[in-house]
């Protein structure tokens, strides 16, 4: 029966692979794993029987002279859980409302079991389900605290060459042709030579570590876990090695590495482990009762002093990981280096006359945006100590030439003295950027790897979602980030873990391919959690490494997440270290408190100690999360500009159009990426806002494209108020869309638009001069005409209200990417006419051109 109990613990441990996006998107099977886990813990093995019987002795509640709660009773009195057990609900309720789902599942299960044990008990339906729920809830709660740490280790430790050499002789027993090189084991498959390195993910580190913790916790409650701990650890290590060899040959036969991260394959490969633990490393289950004055101590009794000490130890231990030094702010002088890079230039103005690929792969908009928050200078001089001393932050992006040892020494000393250093690389060592960055990065324990990253299961571009808790200060105001293609990074485990991407695969470069992109069907790759942004504190200064230069190019710079991440990076770098020693102080203090708590609790029975430790652990960790999260957010608020920014806001709801927010534009007929980016050529910093209300608050100019959701009365009132106070709203309508709700905007001004589409081919200004081709314009009724079709039917008009104006344009398709082309386009005369129309509309919206003064494009002027 004990095997079934351990199998239940394994299912609970594996449930995390279904509740979190570790290798696959979260799946709906996680409730099955939790219910089955609880059910298997109900089986009356000796261990569970001891827990059950020990819990159901009634407690007294008397306080002894030492201040401890005496829950003793005569042996044999049974019933419900003592009411004092409900004290455990205090940290559980805090955890339920503090921890995000699914990390609060353990506290939820445990709370239900606790209430059931007190209210129902033995008298209604028996005590077994309650015991199973208590064990499962405790295990899941502890695992929720452990999981982020194991995932972080997994992100830092991938292929371990020494393990390849250790396991190679055993693999050779089954395949004499096998050989090892660089820690990678090679064997001949049916089709080709198959090589695999040994990594933490291939050893199933995450589920095995969680299962190991569950077994130790289970044994500690009712047996002597310390006596068998080393044997238990050895059993896990041996099984991990045997499992790897078995799965290795399965991967060779299938000619595919997917079996290492397939959830069902992981489940099946781990099922024998509970059997090994149950029969190979039996525990001494004795319940832990201790006689005292002829009476028996009750497991649910809570030693108050010991519990407080445990809670404080847990608070400080968690704080050692959660505390982020707010540092001391510096002057904000930024050096944007251009001397060492011939890629992502920032020196040529991004305007309405310069087009092509180089204008897109360009940092002009980034540099100008930085200058609104910091004092930025483009650097064209060689590094000298005196030159660097004039800046608080140095940005080195995509260097295409190497640095001398003297220059690296200067940068190292600059950081030690309090400087901030931002290193920006890219995928696959393209243009030698990683080769040139790594000698600098190595001084601080960082490395840009020669690979590229993709989603593990789909091989698409990757997305990162910042956690509600544990987000690094750089990511506090970046809820979501869409990568182009990054490389992975090596960094210290306890450094600055900014972005640890999940469910990724990192494939080594291929020098035979364009931009060194690897073939996506490559068999050997790292997978799982992968570092995509990391940093360190060194001396008084700070260093950050970022792995995807493309996302800050002009065509991506103002996609949501990009400006927030860059500003968060500079804000973190613009500080000298002040309180960094507290992290070490917290962990040392925590260790001392653990020793002290052990001395206090040693007099109590094992279940009482387990309850006390669990209560203190949960309370301490949850309070630590709340306190240090609050301190972090207060220390790193959103930056405010020091110079005025010319903004334009694009609405996403009720609007419907495509932008590369979570994936590249898939439907070019609905894509407005080029139209959006072209606003930057006019000096705007555009923003893409989730709601109409946010758009109206973000800028005096708002663009609504193809609205499809009806507006609420409150939204209509806010639009009216926005325009009345001086706002300008541009409404671009798709006349073919029968679901359009443009009428909600137009009705404010008694304007209408027909769903009939013109079959004419050109648009003219009110003087009759041809502006550009038409691509399916509707007919606007009402307002002051600005552009018309032949016959005088209006396609662009406006109305005034108070200090502001509503502009309506009825040819949605003209500005879609199906017509404008991509952001890398070199326009012909047809597309240039469309671009010039957009620029003139933007000038009207910002008040630098009269609405009636729309003119034809003249090639001589361009």
């Amino acid at each position: 029966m004990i095997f079934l109990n351990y199998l239940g613990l394994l299912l609970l441990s594996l449930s995390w692979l279904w509740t979190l996006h570790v290798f696959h998107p979260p799946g709906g099977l996680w409730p099955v794993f939790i219910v089955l886990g609880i059910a298997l813990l109900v089986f009356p093995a000796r261990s569970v029987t001891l827990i059950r019987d020990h819990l159901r002795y009634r407690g007294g509640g008397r306080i002894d002279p030492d201040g401890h709660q005496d829950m003793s009773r005569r042996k044999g009195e049974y019933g419900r859980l003592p009411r004092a057990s409900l004290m455990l609900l205090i940290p559980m309720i805090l955890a339920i409302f503090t921890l995000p789902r699914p990390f609060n599942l353990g506290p939820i299960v445990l709370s239900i079991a606790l209430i059931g044990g007190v209210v129902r008990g033995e008298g209604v339906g028996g005590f077994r389900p309650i015991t199973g729920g208590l064990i499962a809830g405790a295990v899941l709660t502890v695992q929720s605290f452990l999981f982020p740490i194991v995932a972080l280790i997994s992100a830092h430790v991938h292929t371990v060459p020494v393990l390849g050499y250790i396991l190679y002789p055993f693999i050779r027993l089954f395949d004499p042709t096998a050989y090892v090189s660089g820690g990678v084991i090679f064997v001949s498959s049916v089709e080709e030579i198959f090589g695999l390195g040994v990594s933490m993910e291939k050893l199933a580190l995450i589920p095995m570590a969680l299962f190991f913790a569950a077994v130790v916790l289970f044994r500690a409650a009712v047996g002597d876990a310390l006596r068998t701990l080393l044997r238990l650890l050895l059993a896990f290590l041996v099984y991990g090695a045997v499992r790897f060899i078995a799965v290795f040959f399965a991967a060779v036969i299938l000619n595919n590495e997917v079996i290492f991260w397939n959830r069902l394959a992981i489940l099946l490969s781990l099922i024998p482990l509970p059997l090994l633990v149950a029969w190979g490393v039996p525990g001494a289950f004795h319940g832990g009762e201790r006689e005292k004055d002829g009476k028996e101590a009750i497991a649910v009794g809570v030693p108050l002093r010991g519990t407080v000490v445990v809670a404080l130890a847990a608070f400080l231990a968690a704080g050692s990981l959660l505390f982020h030094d707010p540092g001391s702010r510096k002057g904000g002088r930024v050096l944007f280096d251009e001397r060492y890079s011939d890629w992502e230039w920032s020196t040529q103005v991004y305007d309405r006359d310069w087009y092509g690929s180089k204008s897109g792969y360009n940092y002009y908009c980034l540099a100008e945006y930085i200058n609104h928050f910091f004092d930025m200078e483009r650097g064209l001089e060689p590094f000298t100590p005196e030159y660097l001393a004039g800046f608080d932050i140095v940005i080195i992006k995509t260097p295409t030439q190497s640095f001398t040892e003297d220059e690296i020494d200067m940068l190292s000393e600059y950081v030690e003295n309090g400087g901030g250093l931002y290193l920006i690389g890219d995928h696959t060592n393209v243009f030698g950027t990683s080769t040139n960055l790594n000698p600098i990065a190595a001084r601080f324990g960082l490395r840009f790897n020669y690979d590229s990253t993709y989603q593990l299961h789909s091989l698409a571009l990757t997305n990162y979602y910042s956690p509600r808790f544990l987000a690094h200060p750089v990511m506090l105001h970046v809820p979501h980030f869409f990568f182009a293609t990054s490389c992975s990074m090596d960094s210290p485990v306890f450094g600055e873990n900014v972005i640890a991407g999940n469910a990724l695969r990192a494939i080594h470069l291929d020098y035979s391919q364009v931009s060194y992109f690897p073939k996506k069907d490559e068999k050997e790759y790292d997978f799982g959690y992968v570092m995509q942004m990391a940093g360190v504190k060194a001396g008084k200064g700070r260093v950050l490494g970022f792995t995807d230069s493309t996302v800050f190019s002009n065509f991506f710079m103002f996609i949501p997440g990009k400006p927030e991440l860059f500003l968060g990076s500079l804000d973190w770098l613009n500080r000298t270290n002040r309180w960094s020693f507290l992290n070490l102080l917290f962990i040392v203090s925590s260790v001392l408190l653990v020793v002290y708590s052990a001395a206090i609790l040693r007099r109590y029975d094992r279940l009482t100690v387990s309850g006390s430790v669990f209560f203190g652990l949960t309370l301490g960790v949850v309070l630590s999360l709340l306190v240090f999260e609050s301190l972090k957010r207060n220390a790193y608020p959103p930056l405010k500009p020091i110079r005025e920014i010319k903004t334009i806001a694009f609405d996403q709801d009720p609007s419907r159009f495509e932008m590369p927010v979570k994936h590249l534009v898939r439907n070019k007929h609905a894509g407005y990426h080029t139209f959006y980016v072209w606003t930057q050529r006019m000096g705007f910093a555009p923003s893409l806002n989730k709601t109409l209300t946010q758009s109206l608050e973000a800028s005096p100019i708002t663009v609504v494209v193809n609205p499809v959701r009806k507006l609420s009365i409150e939204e209509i009132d806010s639009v009216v108020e926005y325009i009345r106070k001086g706002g300008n709203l541009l409404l671009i309508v798709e006349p073919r869309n029968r679901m359009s709700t443009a009428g909600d905007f137009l009705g404010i001004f008694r304007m209408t638009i027909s769903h009939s589409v013109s079959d004419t081919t050109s648009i003219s200004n009110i003087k009759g001069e041809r502006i550009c081709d038409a691509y399916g314009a509707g007919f606007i009724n009402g307002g002051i005409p600005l552009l018309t079709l032949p016959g005088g039917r209006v396609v662009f008009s406006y109305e005034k209200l108070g200090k502001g104006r509503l502009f309506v344009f009825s040819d949605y398709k003209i500005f879609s990417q199906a017509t404008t082309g991509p952001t890398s386009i070199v326009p012909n005369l047809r597309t240039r006419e469309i671009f010039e129309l957009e620029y003139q509309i933007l000038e009207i919206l910002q008040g630098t051109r009269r609405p009636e003064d729309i003119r034809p494009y003249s090639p001589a002027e361009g």
Side-chain angles (χ1 to χ4, degrees):
M1 288 298 186
I2 189 65
F3 160 70
L4 296 177
N5 297 154
Y6 285 138
L7 182 59
L9 294 177
L10 177 65
L11 293 178
L12 294 176
S13 304
L14 287 169
S15 70
W16 294 99
L17 299 185
W18 272 262
T19 58
L20 293 170
H21 196 175
V22 180
F23 302 131
H24 298 267
L29 287 178
W30 63 265
V32 176
F33 281 85
I34 292 177
V35 171
L36 283 177
I38 295 174
L40 290 171
L41 287 170
V42 167
F43 278 90
R46 170 65 176 157
S47 55
V48 176
T49 303
L50 285 168
I51 295 176
R52 184 191 68 205
D53 291 345
H54 209 58
L55 286 174
R56 62 185 183 177
Y57 296 142
R58 280 181 179 261
R62 182 173 57 84
I63 304 298
D64 69 15
D66 294 328
H68 304 300
Q69 193 169 9
D70 181 7
M71 304 300 294
S72 59
R73 274 284 186 187
R74 287 175 305 183
K75 191 173 183 177
E77 291 192 13
Y78 302 101
R80 300 175 178 86
L81 282 175
R83 294 184 183 276
S85 303
L86 294 178
M87 289 177 59
L88 192 56
L89 286 177
I90 297 172
M92 290 301 104
I93 291 173
L94 278 175
I96 290 170
F97 290 100
T98 299
L99 301 177
R101 185 172 173 263
F103 293 97
N104 61 358
L105 288 177
I108 290 173
V109 171
L110 187 56
S111 297
I112 294 172
L114 272 173
I115 294 172
V118 172
V119 175
R120 298 169 67 91
E122 183 77 5
V124 186
F127 212 78
R128 287 186 188 177
I130 292 169
T131 307
L134 290 173
I135 298 171
V139 165
L140 288 171
T141 300
V142 171
Q143 288 179 340
S144 72
F145 300 150
L146 181 62
F147 185 93
I149 298 173
V150 178
L152 190 61
I153 294 171
S154 178
H156 285 278
V157 184
H158 290 286
T159 301
V160 187
V162 67
L163 293 180
Y165 288 101
I166 292 173
L167 294 177
Y168 159 70
F170 300 98
I171 289 179
R172 191 173 171 80
L173 292 175
F174 300 94
D175 188 344
T177 66
Y179 63 97
V180 62
S181 177
V184 178
I185 303 171
F186 295 88
V187 299
S188 299
S189 67
V190 176
E191 300 179 4
E192 58 185 317
I193 299 296
F194 198 89
L196 287 176
V198 184
S199 68
M200 295 294 101
E201 293 80 11
K202 292 169 191 169
L203 291 169
L205 170 68
I206 291 177
M208 287 193 68
L210 295 179
F211 181 47
F212 181 81
V215 172
V216 171
L217 178 67
F218 183 66
R219 290 188 169 199
V222 292
D224 197 343
L226 292 179
R227 284 186 186 176
T228 60
L229 184 61
L230 291 179
R231 282 194 295 155
L232 186 66
L233 180 60
L234 181 61
F236 270 74
L237 294 176
V238 170
Y239 185 84
V242 173
R243 175 192 172 276
F244 172 82
I245 294 171
V247 179
F248 177 92
F249 281 107
V252 172
I253 294 170
L254 296 173
N255 198 33
N256 200 313
E257 195 175 343
V258 172
I259 193 171
F260 279 106
W261 50 268
N262 179 275
R263 289 182 295 200
L264 180 59
I266 294 173
L267 167 62
L268 294 176
S269 68
L270 290 178
I271 283 180
L273 183 55
L275 194 63
L276 174 64
V277 173
W279 294 344
V281 192
F285 297 108
H286 48 69
E289 295 90 343
R290 182 190 299 256
E291 294 293 328
K292 183 180 178 182
D293 298 330
K295 296 182 180 179
E296 202 170 46
I298 303 302
V300 290
V302 179
L304 299 180
R305 186 173 57 177
T307 303
V308 170
V309 174
V310 170
L312 184 56
F315 179 90
L316 293 176
S320 68
L321 300 175
L322 297 171
F323 174 69
H324 289 275
D325 180 11
S328 300
R329 287 186 184 273
K330 299 181 288 189
R333 301 163 299 168
V334 177
L335 173 63
F336 198 89
D337 176 66
E338 287 290 351
R339 178 180 175 83
Y340 298 89
S341 176
D342 192 26
W343 182 246
E344 299 287 13
W345 312 267
S346 70
T347 51
Q348 185 170 347
V349 178
Y350 191 59
D351 59 20
R352 59 203 289 178
D353 297 316
W354 179 37
Y355 296 90
S357 180
K358 185 174 179 179
S359 72
Y361 285 98
N362 188 280
Y363 274 5
Y364 178 80
C365 293
L366 168 62
E368 292 301 301
Y369 189 69
I370 293 171
N371 203 40
H372 288 93
F373 295 85
F374 298 88
D375 294 318
M376 188 274 301
E377 179 180 318
R378 292 174 174 86
L380 300 172
E381 301 179 25
F383 290 157
T384 65
E386 295 75 23
Y387 183 52
L388 294 175
F391 301 96
D392 300 298
I393 302 171
V394 174
I395 300 173
I396 299 177
K397 45 87 179 175
T398 59
T400 52
Q401 67 181 71
S402 59
F403 296 84
T404 67
E405 282 297 319
D406 287 342
E407 289 169 330
I408 296 172
D409 289 339
M410 291 176 202
L411 289 169
S412 181
E413 184 178 356
Y414 167 78
V415 172
E416 290 288 336
N417 291 332
L421 180 60
Y422 201 177
L423 306 175
I424 302 175
D426 213 330
H427 59 78
T428 63
N429 193 31
V430 65
F431 312 124
T433 54
S434 297
T435 297
N436 296 323
L437 281 172
N438 280 337
I440 302 172
R443 295 290 184 94
F444 307 101
L446 305 175
R447 185 178 188 274
F448 293 82
N449 294 320
Y450 295 5
D451 56 20
S452 56
T453 61
Y454 309 93
Q455 288 186 24
L456 177 58
H457 48 91
S458 68
L459 290 171
L461 300 181
T462 67
N463 289 275
Y464 177 77
Y465 297 87
S466 296
R468 182 171 141 198
F469 288 105
L470 306 180
H472 190 273
V474 169
M475 302 300 292
L476 272 182
H477 311 293
V478 189
H480 165 259
F481 194 87
F482 175 49
F483 281 89
T485 305
S486 76
C487 66
S488 65
M489 284 193 75
D490 293 339
S491 63
V493 175
F494 295 106
E496 302 297 321
N497 300 292
V498 185
I499 297 180
N502 58 301
L504 304 186
R505 70 171 71 186
I507 311 175
H508 196 72
L509 61 78
D510 185 342
Y511 282 120
S512 69
Q513 302 297 311
V514 176
S515 296
Y516 312 150
F517 280 117
K519 296 176 182 177
K520 292 186 178 180
D521 60 355
E522 179 65 39
K523 302 297 188 301
E524 168 66 3
Y525 50 84
D526 292 331
F527 63 87
Y529 287 91
V530 174
M531 293 307 302
Q532 294 177 285
M533 186 176 190
V536 295
K537 297 186 181 81
K540 296 180 179 179
R542 302 179 175 188
V543 182
L544 277 179
F546 184 72
T547 57
D548 188 358
S549 70
T550 304
V551 297
F552 301 127
S553 300
N554 288 342
F555 57 82
F556 258 151
M557 175 56 208
F558 291 104
I559 299 300
K562 277 60 171 181
E564 294 85 355
L565 183 141
F566 210 93
L567 290 180
S569 301
L570 296 187
D571 184 28
W572 187 79
L573 289 168
N574 189 41
R575 301 167 187 242
T576 54
N577 301 320
R578 186 179 179 186
W579 303 102
S580 298
F581 66 91
L582 287 181
N583 299 81
L584 179 59
L585 179 62
F586 287 163
I587 194 64
V588 171
S589 301
S590 176
V591 170
L592 294 176
L593 288 170
V594 167
V595 174
Y596 180 48
S597 66
I600 297 175
L601 297 174
R602 63 186 301 271
R603 295 179 297 151
Y604 292 84
D605 69 89
R606 202 168 302 281
L607 277 174
T608 299
V609 171
S610 298
S612 176
V613 169
F614 183 76
F615 182 101
L617 173 68
T618 306
L619 183 62
V621 171
V622 172
L623 289 179
S624 189
L625 277 169
L626 292 171
V627 169
F628 288 107
E629 184 70 18
S630 177
L631 290 174
K632 179 175 61 180
R633 292 189 176 276
N634 288 334
Y636 292 91
L639 285 180
K640 295 182 179 180
I642 59 175
R643 298 177 183 87
E644 185 177 357
I645 304 176
K646 187 164 72 170
T647 61
I648 182 170
F650 283 72
D651 163 70
Q652 288 184 282
D653 182 26
S655 296
R656 286 297 180 274
F657 59 96
E658 279 198 37
M659 289 287 289
V661 177
K662 296 184 179 180
H663 53 75
L664 298 179
V665 172
R666 295 169 178 168
N667 180 3
K668 62 182 180 180
H669 296 282
Y672 257 63
H673 186 204
T674 301
F675 181 87
Y676 181 87
V677 173
W678 269 207
T679 65
Q680 298 164 216
R681 296 179 178 276
M682 300 297 294
F684 286 100
S687 64
L688 199 57
N689 302 275
K690 291 184 178 180
T691 67
L692 179 61
T693 300
Q694 291 175 352
S695 297
L696 299 178
E697 293 173 350
S699 173
I701 302 174
T702 296
V703 181
V704 176
V705 180
N706 185 30
V708 295
R709 178 182 60 78
K710 290 195 67 64
L711 301 186
S712 66
I713 295 175
E714 292 77 12
E715 287 175 318
I716 293 174
D717 290 342
S718 65
V719 169
V720 171
E721 189 68 14
Y722 172 78
I723 297 174
R724 192 189 305 277
K725 290 184 176 180
N728 289 281
L729 192 149
L730 172 63
L731 176 65
I732 300 176
V733 182
E734 167 57 287
R736 286 168 287 244
N737 182 7
R738 298 287 176 174
M739 304 298 293
S740 174
T741 57
D744 290 0
F745 294 89
L746 299 173
I748 299 172
F749 298 90
R750 298 181 180 178
M751 301 171 68
T752 60
I753 190 168
S754 72
H755 288 291
S756 301
V757 177
S758 168
D759 57 0
T760 55
T761 57
S762 64
I763 296 173
S764 303
N765 63 17
I766 56 178
K767 297 178 182 179
E769 299 171 314
R770 180 185 175 282
I771 299 300
C772 64
D773 292 342
Y775 290 85
F779 314 135
I780 301 172
N781 298 308
I784 304 170
L786 297 176
L787 295 176
T788 63
L789 299 170
R793 287 173 295 188
V794 179
V795 298
F796 186 38
S797 67
Y798 77 102
E799 269 292 4
K800 299 177 181 178
L801 178 64
K803 298 179 181 180
R805 299 166 294 182
L806 171 70
F807 292 87
V808 184
F809 188 79
S810 65
D811 195 340
Y812 163 86
K813 188 176 178 182
I814 198 172
F815 293 128
S816 73
Q817 282 183 243
T819 306
T820 63
T823 57
S824 60
I825 190 172
V826 176
N828 56 25
L829 178 60
R830 178 184 63 83
T831 50
R832 188 63 188 270
E833 288 175 340
I834 296 172
F835 296 162
E836 288 301 319
L837 173 58
E838 176 184 348
Y839 300 145
Q840 292 185 67
I841 291 175
L842 292 173
E843 288 175 332
I844 292 170
L845 291 170
Q846 70 179 351
T848 57
R849 178 183 290 271
R850 294 189 305 112
E852 299 78 12
D853 192 24
I854 298 178
R855 297 179 298 173
Y857 166 67
S858 171
E861 294 177 4

